[in-house]
Amino acid sequence: MSSTESETPTSEVTSTATKPPAPLPLLGRLGAFCARHPVWVVASWLVVLLAGLAGRNVVGAVYSDQVSLPGTQSARGADLLKASDPTAGDPSGRVVFHVGSGTVSGHGSGMADSVSRLAKMPHVTAASSPVTSSDGRTAYTTVSFDQQIKDLGHGYKGTLDEATAPAEADGVQVAYGGDLDSIVRTPQKDAVSEGAGVAAALVVLLLAFGSVAAAVMPLVTALVSVGVGMGVVGIVAGSVTFATSAPTLAVMMGLGVGIDYALFLTTRFRQDLMDGHAPEQAAGRTAATSGHAVLVAAVTVAIALLSLYACGLSLIGKLGLAATVAVLVTATAALTLVPAALGLVGRRIDRLHVRRPTAETGGDHDGWHRYAALVSRHPWRFLTAGVVLLAVCAVPLFSMRLGHVDDGADPAGSTTRDAYHWIADAPGPGFGPGANGPMVVVVDVQHASGSSAEVATDVSDALRKTSGVAHVTPLRPSRDSRVLVGTLTPSSGPQDALTSGLYTELTGRTLPMAVRGTGAKAYLTGSTAGQLDFRDLVTARLPIIIGIVLAAAFLLLMTVFRSLLIPLKAVLLNLLTTGASYGVLVAAFQWGWGDKILGLTEPVPIESYVPMMMFAIVFGLSMDYEIFLLSRVAETWQESKDNARAVAVGLSLTGRVISSAALIMTVVFLSFTASPTVVIKMLALGLAVSVILDATVVRLVLVPSAMLLVGKANWWLPRRLDRVLPHLHA
């Protein structure tokens, strides 16, 4: 008996002629309804698209990468400083002036006029006198504000440009650095990346289907759903401040999963048409089967992304929320818009084609069945080879260094990069690489046993003797004399490993030893200190996220497939995939192996929250392919109770479409490595590597070999547990 006999047109036609079709479940009825009323459904989605895009423009979305870190030593220092001198902790940024030749003093009138105008800008409390480098070519003024700089909005950059216009007119170059980056950096639209991803996806779809309509339909429906998702994210951003990378992440996720979901549904629909079903019936059957898999996959991704809130850091949680919105919108489109489009096209889906359309499988002796037979003869060899390959890719993971990618890694020609390098390359106190990441020393002397002067001397001496400290200003009392305040300049840049080590040394040993026995308490605060505290928090809470995602995925898969070993295997294999993608990320960015390809000028640390984000996203996406493959394997298992045959049929029915879907998602993600934002480059490369590894090594090698080795035990579930677990049938 053919392993795909139930899938052949003759078999289907005969069965439908001799007995009435079984009633469709809820998702099937929804799909059939959308196929019966395609015009209304498509029109509704277009109206929602226009409303979402219009709403996004009306609310005035605000994006910022600033984060609150209550309870950390940098936050305690900032709170002390603010309580002692309300103006000392005002948000501030730098306006940097530079000349290619001569000195800035030769353009004194233009600079003086600009500094005067900066001080008079709305919400500015002060603009300091310019600090000039030893060679006289660079100077900067610190501009303080009465509110968070991010709240001023990106339109405030025009006000800055007007204020600095006299200096530029006098031949002085001007750039903005420090915390001003939150308003001079606009959210990246990455239009080139998105266009390249869409074009590459279209080529893959044409090669996979051979049909123009079948290739264009997943792409168009995905683009509509991404547009709606972006509208929703933009509207939410009117009241919830997302990170600047949130819109790009949402597009990247929505486009990738949107095309994949539509691809799986379209493939199943075409197969049902070939099997003799009417278009409306085929759309209903597709929604009931592949649509159910889409729903489970989307819920898995959403759970993984929303688990990021468990880290307690709103910046990361909101990134997960933005991506979740995109995924849920695309899943909704897959369950409604795609069946409507399929019903609208109907049997005309293969009318225009670049090659002869083919069914999902060619039968018992197709290439996928032969491959499954090969794996069944050598399961241990395939399993060992796959595990070794992933383990080798994961080796660099053990040297991962988390940190914050500083402004020096911004795109060439950007104002933030110019400001960074003008200060880093200039000589003199207040300049050099560490001047881009100074730390504020705050010493609480309210309960000190000795005099403030003695404490100041002890702390200053200890700091100056610490290796890696370039300069320390004298510690001076605040207005109310409750704290001592000074500025420490490291000898290395903010993202350097030396700065990270210096911070650990200062907070863990130097400062505590300097004030020991005096009753005083010393802290480091400022942007660089906050970023390093943020890194430490993320590192400490990553195991919590991993635990939540693993537990949620295990429970969901156990409930769907009624098995203990299948979800356990999925969890372990996906951990291998994640580890391998981490390793590639370290080699490409931290080791510098991918600098030229990725458009970077130097190796950079792994952005502190990228591993946490990647784990949630990678785990969710890898479950997509796991669910689509195992859904087909489980269907055959329920019919035949033959594990080897179930694995072979599952591979045969999904091998081509999973490979195509993975290739599409990979090229979409890789296209975003052209983004000027380094964090987006990291996420894009990491996700692309994880998807291709998951769809090839894991899904085509490790899963079938492991399932063949385990045999019927794959489907074992204790009866008591089976009775307790709910039955998820949509």
Side-chain angles (χ1 to χ4, degrees), residues 16 49 81 147 197 234 251 263 331 400 471 566 583 600 650 684-685 719:
T16 56
L49 172 63
L81 187 59
Q147 66 180 73
V251 171
L263 172 63
M400 178 183 287
H471 181 69
I566 283 179
L600 299 175
L685 180 64
R719 291 184 179 179

Side-chain angles (χ1 to χ4, degrees), residues 187-344:
Q188 300 296 337
K189 296 185 182 299
D190 295 314
V192 174
S193 301
E194 295 165 17
V198 169
L202 179 59
V203 172
V204 176
L205 285 167
L206 282 171
L207 293 174
F209 283 119
S211 162
V212 175
V216 171
M217 193 181 307
L219 198 57
V220 172
T221 55
L223 288 174
V224 171
S225 64
V226 166
V228 174
M230 286 301 297
V232 175
V233 169
I235 292 171
V236 175
S239 56
V240 176
T241 302
F242 287 116
T244 54
S245 57
T248 303
L249 177 62
V251 171
M252 187 165 61
M253 290 292 297
L255 196 58
V257 301
I259 295 175
D260 268 14
Y261 292 164
L263 172 63
F264 285 117
L265 291 166
T266 303
T267 301
R268 188 68 177 252
F269 175 79
R270 291 172 73 243
Q271 181 65 50
D272 276 358
L273 288 182
M274 293 177 185
D275 290 345
H277 294 282
E280 181 184 322
Q281 184 185 18
R285 285 169 52 89
T286 296
T289 52
S290 294
H292 181 262
V294 165
L295 181 61
V296 174
V299 169
T300 305
V301 176
I303 291 173
L305 290 170
L306 291 177
S307 69
L308 291 170
Y309 271 106
C311 72
L313 299 169
S314 61
L315 177 77
I316 296 177
K318 291 173 185 176
L319 277 172
L321 175 62
T324 299
V325 168
V327 170
L328 293 181
V329 169
T330 54
T332 304
L335 298 174
T336 55
L337 180 60
V338 172
L342 294 174
L344 192 63

Side-chain angles (χ1 to χ4, degrees), residues 360 368 629 648-661 695 700:
E360 281 187 272
W368 290 106
L629 170 61
V649 172
L651 275 176
S652 178
L653 293 176
T654 63
R656 180 169 62 88
V657 69
I658 284 180
S659 300
S660 300
L700 301 181

Side-chain angles (χ1 to χ4, degrees), residues 23 287 334 361 438 468 547 644-645:
T361 178
R645 179 173 180 270

Side-chain angles (χ1 to χ4, degrees), residues 424-557:
D425 297 338
F431 292 87
N436 285 295
M439 304 181 203
V440 179
V441 183
V442 180
V443 183
D444 183 1
V445 293
Q446 296 180 70
H447 306 290
S449 56
S451 68
S452 296
E454 292 175 345
V455 174
T457 300
D458 292 343
V459 172
S460 296
D461 289 344
L463 292 175
R464 292 190 181 98
K465 293 176 182 178
T466 304
S467 176
V469 174
H471 181 69
V472 181
T473 63
L475 295 178
R476 302 189 184 280
S478 60
R479 291 181 181 179
D480 63 3
S481 299
R482 292 183 178 182
V483 298
L484 303 172
V485 184
T487 300
L488 181 148
T489 303
S491 58
S492 50
Q495 72 177 22
D496 291 351
L498 292 175
T499 302
S500 175
L502 173 64
Y503 178 75
T504 302
E505 174 70 14
L506 292 175
T507 57
R509 185 172 180 275
T510 303
L511 289 175
M513 291 290 291
V515 298
R516 187 173 62 177
T518 66
K521 294 182 180 180
Y523 306 93
L524 286 180
T525 188
S527 295
T528 300
Q531 289 157 2
L532 292 169
D533 277 342
F534 178 79
R535 175 206 63 183
D536 294 340
L537 275 176
V538 168
T539 302
R541 295 175 183 178
L542 180 59
I544 299 174
I545 301 300
I546 291 176
I548 292 174
V549 173
L550 293 183
F554 182 88
L555 291 173
L556 183 63
L557 290 179

